[in-house]
Amino acid sequence: MSKTVILPNGVLVHSYRIIGTPITVYEAFESSSYTGNHSTLQRFNDRVYGSIASRRAGERENNSKEAIQYILDAFPHLEQLEYEIDEFMGRIETINE
């Protein structure tokens, strides 16, 4: 099952299960365009969003940290679980949530 949360600042945080596995992935996106400054794009409700961690501007490490914080803001229950942080992709993964 997937779930999307839009934070007050417009950041969209999306969670989804990987089919056939017990893994749930959480990712943070911001409004973008096909010619925007993100290397990873996704469409939600007919709008284009770019992964915050994939911004072409700024340092990837800082962008990933920002994305992780937005994920934790949108899904505070993660603080109570064991999770893995993918610092390169700027996402959180849980098992058997």
Side-chain angles (χ1 to χ4, degrees):
M1 182 172 87
S2 69
K3 182 176 181 181
T4 301
V5 174
I6 299 175
L7 297 174
N9 64 355
V11 169
L12 184 145
V13 181
H14 183 68
S15 73
Y16 59 91
R17 293 282 306 263
I18 297 177
I19 296 172
T21 74
I23 298 171
T24 302
V25 177
Y26 296 82
E27 296 180 286
F29 297 88
E30 60 192 354
S31 186
S32 188
S33 69
Y34 289 118
T35 59
N37 67 350
H38 299 87
S39 58
T40 302
L41 298 174
Q42 187 75 275
R43 287 182 64 85
F44 295 98
N45 298 322
D46 293 326
R47 292 188 61 201
V48 177
Y49 288 83
S51 168
I52 291 174
S54 78
R55 283 183 193 137
R56 293 184 181 135
E59 292 185 28
R60 187 168 192 101
E61 180 181 349
N62 293 336
N63 294 341
S64 290
K65 287 179 181 179
E66 183 180 349
I68 297 301
Q69 187 57 56
Y70 286 135
I71 293 166
L72 295 172
D73 291 346
F75 293 94
H77 76 281
L78 290 172
E79 297 284 359
Q80 308 303 316
L81 302 174
E82 289 186 33
Y83 57 83
E84 296 288 324
I85 295 177
D86 181 337
E87 292 183 13
F88 183 77
M89 296 298 292
R91 64 186 188 185
I92 291 178
E93 298 177 1
T94 64
I95 297 177
N96 294 323
E97 186 174 332

Coordinates of all heavy atoms in Angstrom, one line a residue:
M1 N 0.8 -1.2 0.0 CA 0.0 0.0 0.0 C 0.9 1.2 0.0 O 1.9 1.3 0.7 CB -0.9 0.0 1.2 CG -1.8 1.2 1.3 SD -3.0 1.0 2.6 CE -2.1 1.8 3.9
S2 N 0.5 2.2 -0.7 CA 1.3 3.5 -0.8 C 0.5 4.6 -0.1 O -0.7 4.5 0.1 CB 1.6 3.9 -2.2 OG 0.5 4.3 -2.9
K3 N 1.2 5.6 0.4 CA 0.6 6.7 1.1 C 1.4 7.9 0.7 O 2.7 7.9 0.7 CB 0.6 6.5 2.6 CG -0.1 7.6 3.3 CD -0.2 7.4 4.8 CE -0.9 8.5 5.5 NZ -1.0 8.3 6.9
T4 N 0.7 9.0 0.5 CA 1.4 10.3 0.2 C 1.0 11.4 1.2 O -0.2 11.5 1.5 CB 1.0 10.8 -1.3 OG1 1.4 9.7 -2.2 CG2 1.7 12.0 -1.6
V5 N 1.9 12.1 1.7 CA 1.7 13.2 2.6 C 2.3 14.5 2.0 O 3.4 14.5 1.6 CB 2.3 12.9 4.0 CG1 2.2 14.1 4.9 CG2 1.7 11.7 4.6
I6 N 1.5 15.5 2.0 CA 2.0 16.8 1.5 C 2.2 17.7 2.7 O 1.2 18.0 3.5 CB 1.1 17.5 0.5 CG1 0.9 16.5 -0.7 CG2 1.6 18.8 0.1 CD1 -0.1 17.0 -1.8
L7 N 3.4 18.1 2.9 CA 3.7 19.0 4.1 C 3.3 20.4 3.8 O 3.1 20.8 2.6 CB 5.2 18.9 4.4 CG 5.8 17.6 4.8 CD1 7.3 17.6 4.9 CD2 5.2 17.1 6.1
P8 N 3.1 21.3 4.8 CA 2.7 22.7 4.6 C 3.6 23.5 3.6 O 3.1 24.4 3.0 CB 2.8 23.3 6.0 CG 2.6 22.1 6.9 CD 3.3 21.0 6.2
N9 N 4.9 23.1 3.5 CA 5.7 23.8 2.6 C 5.7 23.3 1.2 O 6.4 23.8 0.3 CB 7.2 23.8 3.1 CG 7.7 22.4 3.1 OD1 7.1 21.4 2.9 ND2 9.0 22.3 3.5
G10 N 4.8 22.4 0.9 CA 4.6 21.8 -0.4 C 5.4 20.6 -0.8 O 5.2 20.0 -1.8
V11 N 6.3 20.2 0.1 CA 7.1 19.0 -0.1 C 6.1 17.8 0.0 O 5.3 17.7 0.9 CB 8.2 18.9 0.9 CG1 8.8 17.5 0.9 CG2 9.2 19.9 0.7
L12 N 6.3 16.9 -1.0 CA 5.5 15.7 -1.0 C 6.3 14.5 -0.6 O 7.4 14.3 -1.1 CB 5.0 15.5 -2.5 CG 4.1 14.3 -2.8 CD1 3.1 14.7 -3.9 CD2 4.8 13.1 -3.2
V13 N 5.8 13.8 0.4 CA 6.6 12.6 0.9 C 5.7 11.4 0.6 O 4.5 11.3 0.9 CB 6.9 12.7 2.4 CG1 7.6 11.5 2.9 CG2 7.6 14.0 2.7
H14 N 6.3 10.4 -0.1 CA 5.6 9.3 -0.6 C 6.2 8.0 0.0 O 7.4 7.8 0.1 CB 5.7 9.2 -2.1 CG 5.0 8.1 -2.8 ND1 3.6 8.1 -2.8 CD2 5.5 7.0 -3.5 CE1 3.3 7.0 -3.5 NE2 4.4 6.3 -3.9
S15 N 5.3 7.1 0.4 CA 5.8 5.8 0.9 C 5.1 4.7 0.1 O 4.0 4.9 -0.4 CB 5.4 5.6 2.4 OG 4.1 5.3 2.5
Y16 N 5.8 3.6 -0.2 CA 5.3 2.5 -0.9 C 6.0 1.2 -0.5 O 7.1 1.2 -0.1 CB 5.5 2.7 -2.4 CG 6.9 2.9 -2.9 CD1 7.7 1.8 -3.3 CD2 7.5 4.2 -2.9 CE1 9.0 2.0 -3.7 CE2 8.8 4.3 -3.3 CZ 9.5 3.2 -3.7 OH 10.9 3.4 -4.0
R17 N 5.3 0.1 -0.7 CA 5.9 -1.3 -0.4 C 6.5 -1.8 -1.7 O 5.9 -1.6 -2.8 CB 4.8 -2.2 0.0 CG 4.2 -2.0 1.4 CD 5.0 -2.4 2.6 NE 5.5 -3.7 2.6 CZ 4.9 -4.7 3.3 NH1 3.8 -4.5 3.9 NH2 5.4 -5.9 3.3
I18 N 7.6 -2.5 -1.6 CA 8.2 -3.1 -2.7 C 7.5 -4.5 -2.9 O 7.6 -5.3 -1.9 CB 9.7 -3.3 -2.6 CG1 10.4 -1.9 -2.5 CG2 10.3 -4.1 -3.7 CD1 11.9 -1.9 -2.3
I19 N 6.9 -4.7 -4.0 CA 6.1 -6.0 -4.2 C 7.0 -7.2 -3.9 O 8.1 -7.3 -4.4 CB 5.5 -6.0 -5.6 CG1 4.5 -4.8 -5.8 CG2 4.8 -7.3 -5.9 CD1 4.0 -4.7 -7.2
G20 N 6.4 -8.1 -3.2 CA 7.1 -9.4 -3.0 C 8.1 -9.4 -1.9 O 8.8 -10.3 -1.7
T21 N 8.2 -8.2 -1.2 CA 9.2 -8.1 -0.1 C 8.5 -7.4 1.1 O 7.4 -6.9 1.0 CB 10.3 -7.2 -0.5 OG1 9.9 -5.8 -0.5 CG2 10.9 -7.5 -1.9
P22 N 9.1 -7.5 2.3 CA 8.5 -6.8 3.5 C 9.0 -5.4 3.6 O 8.9 -4.7 4.6 CB 9.1 -7.7 4.6 CG 10.4 -8.1 4.1 CD 10.2 -8.4 2.6
I23 N 9.6 -4.8 2.5 CA 10.3 -3.5 2.6 C 9.3 -2.3 2.2 O 8.6 -2.4 1.2 CB 11.5 -3.4 1.6 CG1 12.5 -4.5 2.1 CG2 12.1 -2.0 1.6 CD1 13.6 -4.7 1.1
T24 N 9.3 -1.3 3.0 CA 8.6 -0.1 2.7 C 9.6 1.0 2.5 O 10.5 1.2 3.3 CB 7.6 0.3 3.9 OG1 6.7 -0.7 4.1 CG2 6.8 1.6 3.5
V25 N 9.4 1.8 1.5 CA 10.4 2.9 1.1 C 9.7 4.2 1.3 O 8.5 4.4 0.9 CB 10.8 2.7 -0.4 CG1 11.7 3.9 -0.8 CG2 11.5 1.4 -0.6
Y26 N 10.4 5.2 1.8 CA 9.9 6.6 2.0 C 10.8 7.5 1.2 O 12.0 7.5 1.4 CB 9.9 7.0 3.5 CG 9.0 6.1 4.3 CD1 9.3 4.9 4.8 CD2 7.7 6.6 4.6 CE1 8.5 4.1 5.5 CE2 6.8 5.8 5.4 CZ 7.2 4.6 5.8 OH 6.4 3.8 6.6
E27 N 10.2 8.4 0.4 CA 11.0 9.4 -0.4 C 10.3 10.7 -0.3 O 9.1 10.8 -0.2 CB 11.1 8.9 -1.8 CG 11.8 7.6 -2.0 CD 11.9 7.2 -3.5 OE1 10.8 6.8 -4.0 OE2 13.0 7.4 -4.1
A28 N 11.2 11.8 -0.4 CA 10.6 13.2 -0.4 C 10.9 13.8 -1.8 O 11.9 13.7 -2.3 CB 11.4 14.0 0.7
F29 N 9.8 14.6 -2.2 CA 9.9 15.2 -3.5 C 9.5 16.7 -3.4 O 8.7 17.0 -2.5 CB 8.9 14.5 -4.5 CG 9.3 13.1 -4.8 CD1 8.8 12.1 -4.0 CD2 10.1 12.8 -5.9 CE1 9.2 10.7 -4.3 CE2 10.4 11.5 -6.2 CZ 10.0 10.5 -5.4
E30 N 9.9 17.5 -4.3 CA 9.5 18.9 -4.4 C 9.0 19.2 -5.8 O 9.4 18.5 -6.8 CB 10.6 19.8 -4.0 CG 11.8 19.8 -4.8 CD 13.0 20.5 -4.2 OE1 12.8 21.2 -3.2 OE2 14.1 20.4 -4.8
S31 N 8.2 20.2 -6.0 CA 7.7 20.5 -7.3 C 8.9 20.8 -8.3 O 9.9 21.4 -7.9 CB 6.8 21.8 -7.2 OG 6.2 22.1 -8.4
S32 N 8.7 20.3 -9.5 CA 9.8 20.4 -10.5 C 9.1 20.4 -11.9 O 7.9 20.7 -12.0 CB 10.7 19.2 -10.4 OG 11.9 19.4 -11.2
S33 N 9.9 20.2 -12.9 CA 9.5 20.1 -14.3 C 10.4 19.2 -15.0 O 11.4 18.8 -14.5 CB 9.4 21.5 -15.0 OG 10.7 21.9 -15.2
Y34 N 10.0 18.8 -16.2 CA 10.9 17.9 -17.0 C 12.2 18.6 -17.4 O 13.2 17.9 -17.6 CB 10.1 17.4 -18.3 CG 9.0 16.5 -18.0 CD1 7.7 16.8 -18.3 CD2 9.3 15.3 -17.4 CE1 6.7 15.9 -18.0 CE2 8.2 14.4 -17.1 CZ 6.9 14.7 -17.4 OH 5.9 13.9 -17.1
T35 N 12.3 19.9 -17.3 CA 13.5 20.6 -17.6 C 14.1 21.2 -16.3 O 14.9 22.0 -16.4 CB 13.3 21.7 -18.7 OG1 12.3 22.6 -18.2 CG2 12.9 21.1 -20.0
G36 N 13.6 20.7 -15.2 CA 14.0 21.3 -13.9 C 15.4 20.8 -13.5 O 16.1 20.3 -14.3
N37 N 15.7 21.0 -12.2 CA 17.0 20.8 -11.8 C 17.1 19.5 -10.9 O 17.8 19.5 -9.9 CB 17.6 22.0 -11.0 CG 16.9 22.2 -9.7 OD1 15.9 21.7 -9.4 ND2 17.5 23.1 -8.9
H38 N 16.4 18.4 -11.3 CA 16.4 17.2 -10.5 C 16.8 16.1 -11.5 O 16.3 16.1 -12.7 CB 15.1 16.8 -9.9 CG 14.6 17.9 -8.9 ND1 13.9 19.0 -9.2 CD2 14.8 17.9 -7.6 CE1 13.7 19.7 -8.2 NE2 14.2 19.1 -7.1
S39 N 17.6 15.1 -11.0 CA 17.9 14.0 -11.9 C 16.9 12.8 -11.8 O 16.9 11.9 -12.6 CB 19.3 13.5 -11.6 OG 19.5 13.1 -10.3
T40 N 16.1 12.8 -10.7 CA 15.0 11.8 -10.5 C 13.7 12.5 -10.5 O 13.4 13.4 -9.6 CB 15.3 11.0 -9.2 OG1 16.5 10.4 -9.2 CG2 14.2 10.0 -9.0
L41 N 12.8 12.2 -11.4 CA 11.5 12.8 -11.5 C 10.4 11.7 -11.2 O 10.6 10.6 -11.5 CB 11.3 13.4 -12.9 CG 12.2 14.5 -13.2 CD1 12.0 15.0 -14.7 CD2 12.0 15.7 -12.3
Q42 N 9.2 12.2 -10.8 CA 8.1 11.4 -10.5 C 6.8 12.2 -10.8 O 6.9 13.4 -10.5 CB 8.1 10.9 -9.1 CG 7.1 9.9 -8.6 CD 7.4 8.5 -9.2 OE1 7.0 8.2 -10.3 NE2 8.1 7.7 -8.4
R43 N 5.8 11.6 -11.2 CA 4.5 12.3 -11.4 C 3.5 11.9 -10.3 O 3.4 10.7 -10.0 CB 3.9 12.0 -12.7 CG 4.6 12.6 -13.9 CD 4.0 12.3 -15.2 NE 2.6 12.8 -15.3 CZ 2.3 14.1 -15.7 NH1 3.3 14.9 -16.0 NH2 1.1 14.5 -15.8
F44 N 2.9 12.9 -9.7 CA 1.8 12.7 -8.7 C 0.7 13.6 -9.1 O 0.9 14.8 -9.3 CB 2.3 13.0 -7.3 CG 3.4 12.1 -6.8 CD1 4.7 12.5 -6.8 CD2 3.1 10.9 -6.2 CE1 5.7 11.7 -6.3 CE2 4.1 10.0 -5.7 CZ 5.4 10.5 -5.8
N45 N -0.5 13.1 -9.2 CA -1.7 13.9 -9.6 C -1.4 14.9 -10.7 O -1.7 16.0 -10.7 CB -2.1 14.7 -8.3 CG -2.5 13.8 -7.2 OD1 -3.1 12.7 -7.4 ND2 -2.2 14.1 -6.0
D46 N -0.8 14.3 -11.8 CA -0.6 15.1 -13.0 C 0.4 16.3 -12.8 O 0.4 17.2 -13.6 CB -1.9 15.6 -13.7 CG -2.7 14.4 -14.2 OD1 -2.1 13.4 -14.6 OD2 -3.9 14.5 -14.1
R47 N 1.2 16.2 -11.8 CA 2.2 17.3 -11.6 C 3.6 16.6 -11.5 O 3.7 15.4 -11.1 CB 2.0 18.0 -10.3 CG 0.7 18.9 -10.4 CD 0.6 19.8 -9.2 NE 1.7 20.7 -9.1 CZ 2.1 21.3 -8.0 NH1 1.5 21.2 -6.9 NH2 3.1 22.1 -8.0
V48 N 4.6 17.2 -11.9 CA 6.0 16.7 -11.9 C 6.7 17.1 -10.6 O 6.7 18.3 -10.3 CB 6.8 17.1 -13.2 CG1 8.2 16.6 -13.1 CG2 6.1 16.7 -14.4
Y49 N 7.3 16.1 -10.0 CA 8.0 16.4 -8.8 C 9.4 15.8 -8.9 O 9.6 14.8 -9.6 CB 7.4 15.7 -7.5 CG 6.1 16.4 -7.1 CD1 4.9 16.1 -7.7 CD2 6.2 17.3 -6.1 CE1 3.7 16.8 -7.3 CE2 5.0 18.0 -5.6 CZ 3.8 17.7 -6.2 OH 2.7 18.3 -5.8
G50 N 10.4 16.4 -8.3 CA 11.8 15.9 -8.3 C 12.2 15.5 -7.0 O 11.8 16.1 -6.0
S51 N 13.0 14.4 -6.9 CA 13.5 13.9 -5.6 C 14.4 15.0 -5.0 O 15.3 15.5 -5.7 CB 14.3 12.6 -5.8 OG 15.0 12.3 -4.7
I52 N 14.2 15.3 -3.8 CA 15.0 16.4 -3.1 C 16.5 16.0 -3.1 O 17.3 16.8 -3.4 CB 14.5 16.7 -1.7 CG1 13.1 17.4 -1.8 CG2 15.5 17.5 -0.9 CD1 12.4 17.6 -0.5
A53 N 16.7 14.7 -2.9 CA 18.1 14.2 -2.9 C 18.8 14.3 -4.2 O 20.0 14.3 -4.3 CB 18.1 12.8 -2.3
S54 N 18.0 14.4 -5.3 CA 18.6 14.4 -6.7 C 18.7 15.8 -7.3 O 18.9 15.9 -8.5 CB 17.7 13.5 -7.6 OG 16.5 14.2 -8.0
R55 N 18.6 16.8 -6.4 CA 18.8 18.2 -6.9 C 20.1 18.3 -7.6 O 21.1 17.7 -7.1 CB 18.7 19.2 -5.8 CG 17.4 19.5 -5.3 CD 17.6 20.6 -4.2 NE 16.4 20.8 -3.4 CZ 16.4 20.9 -2.1 NH1 17.5 20.9 -1.4 NH2 15.2 21.0 -1.5
R56 N 20.2 19.0 -8.7 CA 21.5 19.2 -9.3 C 22.2 20.3 -8.7 O 23.4 20.5 -8.8 CB 21.2 19.5 -10.8 CG 20.7 18.3 -11.5 CD 20.6 18.5 -13.0 NE 20.1 17.3 -13.7 CZ 19.2 17.3 -14.6 NH1 18.6 18.4 -15.0 NH2 18.7 16.2 -15.1
A57 N 21.5 21.2 -7.9 CA 22.1 22.3 -7.2 C 22.4 21.8 -5.7 O 21.7 21.0 -5.2 CB 21.1 23.5 -7.2
G58 N 23.4 22.4 -5.2 CA 23.8 22.1 -3.8 C 24.5 20.7 -3.7 O 24.7 20.0 -4.6
E59 N 25.0 20.4 -2.5 CA 25.7 19.2 -2.2 C 24.7 18.1 -2.0 O 23.7 18.2 -1.2 CB 26.6 19.4 -1.0 CG 27.8 20.3 -1.3 CD 28.7 20.3 -0.1 OE1 28.8 19.3 0.6 OE2 29.4 21.4 0.1
R60 N 25.0 16.9 -2.6 CA 24.1 15.8 -2.5 C 23.9 15.4 -1.0 O 22.8 15.0 -0.6 CB 24.6 14.6 -3.3 CG 23.6 13.5 -3.4 CD 24.0 12.4 -4.4 NE 22.8 11.5 -4.6 CZ 22.0 11.6 -5.5 NH1 22.1 12.5 -6.5 NH2 21.0 10.7 -5.6
E61 N 24.9 15.4 -0.2 CA 24.8 15.0 1.2 C 23.8 15.9 1.9 O 23.0 15.4 2.7 CB 26.2 15.1 1.8 CG 26.2 14.7 3.3 CD 27.5 14.8 4.0 OE1 28.5 15.0 3.2 OE2 27.6 14.8 5.2
N62 N 23.9 17.2 1.7 CA 23.0 18.2 2.3 C 21.5 18.0 1.8 O 20.6 18.0 2.6 CB 23.4 19.6 2.1 CG 24.7 19.9 2.9 OD1 25.0 19.3 3.8 ND2 25.4 20.9 2.4
N63 N 21.4 17.7 0.5 CA 20.1 17.5 0.0 C 19.5 16.2 0.5 O 18.3 16.2 0.9 CB 20.1 17.4 -1.6 CG 20.5 18.7 -2.2 OD1 20.4 19.7 -1.6 ND2 21.0 18.6 -3.5
S64 N 20.3 15.2 0.7 CA 19.8 13.9 1.3 C 19.4 14.1 2.7 O 18.3 13.6 3.2 CB 20.9 12.8 1.2 OG 21.0 12.4 -0.1
K65 N 20.2 14.8 3.5 CA 19.8 15.1 4.9 C 18.5 15.9 5.0 O 17.6 15.6 5.9 CB 20.9 15.9 5.6 CG 22.1 15.0 5.9 CD 23.2 15.8 6.6 CE 24.4 15.0 6.8 NZ 25.5 15.7 7.5
E66 N 18.3 16.8 4.1 CA 17.0 17.6 4.1 C 15.9 16.6 3.7 O 14.8 16.7 4.4 CB 17.1 18.7 3.0 CG 15.9 19.6 3.0 CD 16.1 20.7 1.9 OE1 17.2 20.9 1.4 OE2 15.0 21.3 1.7
A67 N 16.0 15.8 2.8 CA 15.0 14.8 2.4 C 14.6 13.9 3.5 O 13.4 13.7 3.8 CB 15.4 14.0 1.2
I68 N 15.6 13.4 4.2 CA 15.4 12.5 5.4 C 14.6 13.2 6.5 O 13.7 12.7 7.0 CB 16.7 12.0 6.0 CG1 17.5 11.1 4.9 CG2 16.5 11.2 7.3 CD1 16.7 9.9 4.4
Q69 N 14.9 14.5 6.7 CA 14.2 15.2 7.7 C 12.7 15.4 7.3 O 11.8 15.3 8.2 CB 14.8 16.6 8.0 CG 14.2 17.3 9.2 CD 14.2 16.5 10.5 OE1 15.3 16.1 10.9 NE2 13.0 16.3 11.0
Y70 N 12.5 15.7 6.1 CA 11.1 15.8 5.6 C 10.3 14.5 5.8 O 9.1 14.5 6.1 CB 11.0 16.3 4.1 CG 11.4 17.7 3.9 CD1 12.2 18.1 2.9 CD2 10.8 18.7 4.7 CE1 12.5 19.4 2.7 CE2 11.2 20.1 4.5 CZ 12.0 20.4 3.5 OH 12.3 21.7 3.3
I71 N 11.0 13.4 5.5 CA 10.4 12.1 5.6 C 10.0 11.9 7.1 O 8.8 11.5 7.4 CB 11.3 11.0 5.2 CG1 11.5 11.1 3.6 CG2 10.7 9.6 5.6 CD1 12.6 10.2 3.1
L72 N 10.9 12.2 8.0 CA 10.6 12.0 9.4 C 9.5 13.0 9.9 O 8.7 12.6 10.8 CB 11.9 12.2 10.3 CG 12.9 11.1 10.0 CD1 14.2 11.5 10.7 CD2 12.4 9.8 10.4
D73 N 9.4 14.2 9.3 CA 8.3 15.1 9.7 C 7.0 14.6 9.2 O 6.0 14.7 9.9 CB 8.6 16.5 9.0 CG 9.8 17.2 9.6 OD1 10.3 16.8 10.7 OD2 10.2 18.2 8.9
A74 N 7.0 14.0 8.0 CA 5.7 13.5 7.4 C 5.2 12.2 8.1 O 4.0 11.9 8.1 CB 5.8 13.3 5.9
F75 N 6.2 11.4 8.5 CA 5.8 10.1 9.1 C 6.5 9.9 10.4 O 7.5 9.2 10.5 CB 6.3 8.9 8.1 CG 5.5 8.9 6.8 CD1 6.0 9.5 5.7 CD2 4.3 8.2 6.8 CE1 5.2 9.5 4.5 CE2 3.5 8.2 5.6 CZ 4.0 8.8 4.5
P76 N 6.0 10.6 11.4 CA 6.7 10.6 12.7 C 6.8 9.2 13.4 O 7.6 9.0 14.3 CB 5.9 11.6 13.6 CG 4.6 11.8 12.9 CD 4.9 11.5 11.4
H77 N 5.9 8.3 13.0 CA 6.0 7.0 13.6 C 7.3 6.2 13.3 O 7.6 5.3 14.0 CB 4.8 6.1 13.1 CG 5.0 5.6 11.7 ND1 4.7 6.4 10.6 CD2 5.4 4.4 11.2 CE1 5.0 5.7 9.5 NE2 5.4 4.5 9.8
L78 N 8.0 6.7 12.3 CA 9.3 6.1 12.0 C 10.3 6.2 13.1 O 11.2 5.3 13.2 CB 9.9 6.7 10.7 CG 9.2 6.4 9.4 CD1 9.7 7.2 8.2 CD2 9.2 4.9 9.1
E79 N 10.2 7.2 13.9 CA 11.1 7.3 15.1 C 11.0 6.2 16.0 O 11.9 5.9 16.8 CB 10.8 8.6 15.8 CG 11.0 9.9 15.0 CD 12.4 10.3 14.9 OE1 13.3 9.6 15.4 OE2 12.7 11.3 14.2
Q80 N 9.8 5.4 16.0 CA 9.6 4.3 16.9 C 10.1 3.0 16.3 O 10.0 1.9 17.0 CB 8.1 4.2 17.3 CG 7.5 5.5 17.8 CD 8.3 6.0 19.0 OE1 8.6 5.3 19.9 NE2 8.6 7.3 19.1
L81 N 10.5 3.0 15.0 CA 10.8 1.8 14.3 C 12.3 1.7 14.0 O 13.0 2.7 14.1 CB 10.1 1.7 13.0 CG 8.6 1.8 13.0 CD1 8.0 1.9 11.6 CD2 8.0 0.6 13.7
E82 N 12.8 0.5 13.7 CA 14.1 0.4 13.2 C 14.0 0.6 11.7 O 13.1 0.1 11.0 CB 14.6 -1.0 13.4 CG 15.0 -1.3 14.9 CD 15.6 -2.6 15.1 OE1 16.4 -3.1 14.2 OE2 15.4 -3.2 16.1
Y83 N 14.9 1.4 11.1 CA 14.9 1.7 9.7 C 16.4 1.9 9.2 O 17.3 2.2 10.0 CB 14.1 3.0 9.4 CG 14.5 4.2 10.1 CD1 15.5 5.0 9.6 CD2 13.8 4.6 11.2 CE1 15.8 6.2 10.3 CE2 14.1 5.8 11.9 CZ 15.1 6.6 11.4 OH 15.5 7.8 12.0
E84 N 16.5 1.8 7.9 CA 17.8 2.0 7.3 C 17.7 3.4 6.5 O 16.7 3.6 5.9 CB 18.1 0.9 6.3 CG 18.3 -0.4 7.0 CD 19.6 -0.5 7.7 OE1 20.6 0.1 7.3 OE2 19.6 -1.1 8.8
I85 N 18.7 4.1 6.5 CA 18.8 5.4 5.7 C 19.7 5.1 4.5 O 20.8 4.7 4.7 CB 19.3 6.5 6.5 CG1 18.3 6.9 7.7 CG2 19.5 7.8 5.7 CD1 18.8 8.0 8.6
D86 N 19.1 5.4 3.3 CA 19.9 5.3 2.1 C 20.4 6.8 1.9 O 19.6 7.6 1.3 CB 19.1 4.8 1.0 CG 19.9 4.7 -0.3 OD1 20.9 5.4 -0.5 OD2 19.4 3.9 -1.2
E87 N 21.6 7.1 2.3 CA 22.1 8.5 2.3 C 22.3 8.9 0.8 O 22.2 10.1 0.6 CB 23.3 8.6 3.1 CG 23.0 8.5 4.6 CD 24.2 8.7 5.4 OE1 25.3 9.2 4.9 OE2 24.2 8.4 6.6
F88 N 22.6 8.0 -0.1 CA 22.8 8.5 -1.5 C 21.5 8.8 -2.1 O 21.4 9.9 -2.8 CB 23.5 7.4 -2.3 CG 23.8 7.8 -3.7 CD1 24.9 8.6 -3.9 CD2 23.0 7.4 -4.7 CE1 25.2 9.0 -5.2 CE2 23.3 7.8 -6.0 CZ 24.4 8.6 -6.3
M89 N 20.5 8.0 -1.9 CA 19.2 8.3 -2.5 C 18.3 9.2 -1.7 O 17.3 9.7 -2.1 CB 18.5 7.0 -2.8 CG 19.2 6.1 -3.8 SD 19.3 6.8 -5.4 CE 17.6 6.9 -5.9
G90 N 18.7 9.5 -0.4 CA 17.9 10.3 0.4 C 16.6 9.8 0.8 O 15.6 10.4 0.8
R91 N 16.6 8.5 1.1 CA 15.3 7.8 1.5 C 15.5 6.9 2.7 O 16.6 6.6 3.1 CB 14.7 7.1 0.3 CG 15.6 5.9 -0.2 CD 15.0 5.3 -1.4 NE 15.7 4.1 -1.8 CZ 15.5 3.4 -2.9 NH1 14.6 3.8 -3.7 NH2 16.1 2.3 -3.1
I92 N 14.3 6.5 3.2 CA 14.3 5.6 4.4 C 13.6 4.3 4.0 O 12.6 4.4 3.2 CB 13.6 6.3 5.6 CG1 14.4 7.4 6.1 CG2 13.3 5.2 6.7 CD1 13.8 8.2 7.3
E93 N 14.2 3.2 4.5 CA 13.5 1.9 4.2 C 13.3 1.2 5.5 O 14.2 1.2 6.4 CB 14.5 1.1 3.3 CG 14.7 1.7 1.9 CD 15.7 0.9 1.1 OE1 16.2 -0.2 1.6 OE2 16.0 1.3 0.0
T94 N 12.1 0.6 5.6 CA 11.8 -0.2 6.8 C 11.5 -1.7 6.4 O 11.1 -1.9 5.2 CB 10.6 0.3 7.6 OG1 9.4 0.3 6.8 CG2 10.8 1.8 8.0
I95 N 11.6 -2.6 7.3 CA 11.2 -4.0 7.0 C 10.2 -4.4 8.0 O 10.2 -4.1 9.2 CB 12.5 -4.9 7.2 CG1 13.5 -4.5 6.1 CG2 12.1 -6.4 7.0 CD1 14.8 -5.3 6.2
N96 N 9.2 -5.1 7.5 CA 8.1 -5.6 8.3 C 7.3 -4.6 9.1 O 7.0 -4.8 10.3 CB 8.5 -6.8 9.2 CG 9.0 -8.0 8.5 OD1 8.4 -8.3 7.5 ND2 10.1 -8.6 9.0
E97 N 7.1 -3.5 8.5 CA 6.4 -2.4 9.2 C 4.9 -2.8 9.4 O 4.2 -3.2 8.6 CB 6.5 -1.1 8.4 CG 5.9 0.1 9.1 CD 6.1 1.3 8.3 OE1 7.1 1.4 7.5 OE2 5.3 2.2 8.4

